[in-house]
C-alpha cells in the first residue's frame, strides 16, 4: 500500500516539478517489482494450500513453514480396505 501511495505522490510531484521524473520512474519500477513478488507468493500459496489467503502476513508464512516441516507430515499415506468389505470378499479389481 505504501509503495502505491509513494508512486502516486511522485507522479503528482513530477507533473508540477519536472526534476522529479526520475523519482517517478524509480517508484513505478519499485511498485511493479513488489507487485510481481506478491503475485509469485500468492501463486505458490494458491497451488500448495488450494486458496489465496485474504491477508498474507509473516505469521501466516511462519506457521505454514512449521506445518510443512512437521515430522508427522513425512509419513506416507496408506489406504486400507474397510474391514466389512474384506469380510464380504469384495474385490476392487476390474473384471474383464
Amino acid at each position: 500500500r505504501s509503495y502505491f501511495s509513494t508512486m502516486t505522490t511522485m507522479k503528482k510531484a513530477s507533473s508540477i516539478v519536472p526534476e522529479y521524473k526520475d523519482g517517478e520512474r524509480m517508484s513505478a519500477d519499485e511498485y511493479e517489482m513488489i507487485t510481481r513478488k506478491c503475485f509469485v507468493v500468492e501463486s505458490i500459496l494458491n497451488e500448495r494450500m488450494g486458496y489465496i489467503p485474504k491477508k498474507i502476513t509473516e505469521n501466516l508464512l511462519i506457521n505454514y513453514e512449521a506445518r510443512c516441516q512437521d515430522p508427522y507430515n513425512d509419513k506416507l499415506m496408506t489406504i486400507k480396505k474397510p474391514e466389512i468389505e474384506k469380510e464380504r470378499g469384495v474385490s476392487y479389481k476390474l473384471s474383464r
Side-chain angles (χ1 to χ4, degrees):
R1 185 175 246 179
S2 66
Y3 289 102
F4 182 76
S5 63
T6 302
M7 184 182 70
T8 55
T9 302
M10 290 304 290
K11 193 172 193 174
K12 288 178 187 176
S14 69
S15 66
I16 298 169
V17 181
E19 290 93 33
Y20 291 131
K21 282 286 185 192
D22 289 336
E24 177 192 2
R25 256 185 255 112
M26 190 171 72
S27 64
D29 291 342
E30 194 171 297
Y31 175 74
E32 183 180 351
M33 180 188 67
I34 295 298
T35 304
R36 287 177 189 263
K37 286 186 179 191
C38 287
F39 179 76
V40 168
V41 170
E42 288 173 349
S43 297
I44 291 169
L45 289 176
N46 187 24
E47 182 180 315
R48 294 186 181 177
M49 295 173 73
Y51 67 98
I52 299 173
K54 286 185 179 181
K55 193 172 189 178
I56 299 173
T57 61
E58 187 175 352
N59 192 27
L60 175 104
L61 296 175
I62 289 170
N63 287 338
Y64 180 72
E65 181 183 16
R67 281 189 282 146
C68 289
Q69 293 178 353
D70 186 8
Y72 180 77
N73 294 329
D74 290 339
K75 298 177 185 174
L76 292 176
M77 185 172 82
T78 57
I79 301 174
K80 299 178 182 178
K81 293 181 182 178
E83 293 297 322
I84 296 172
E85 292 178 1
K86 282 183 184 177
E87 292 172 5
R88 291 183 190 166
V90 176
S91 175
Y92 288 103
K93 295 179 183 177
L94 295 174
S95 58
R96 292 182 190 224

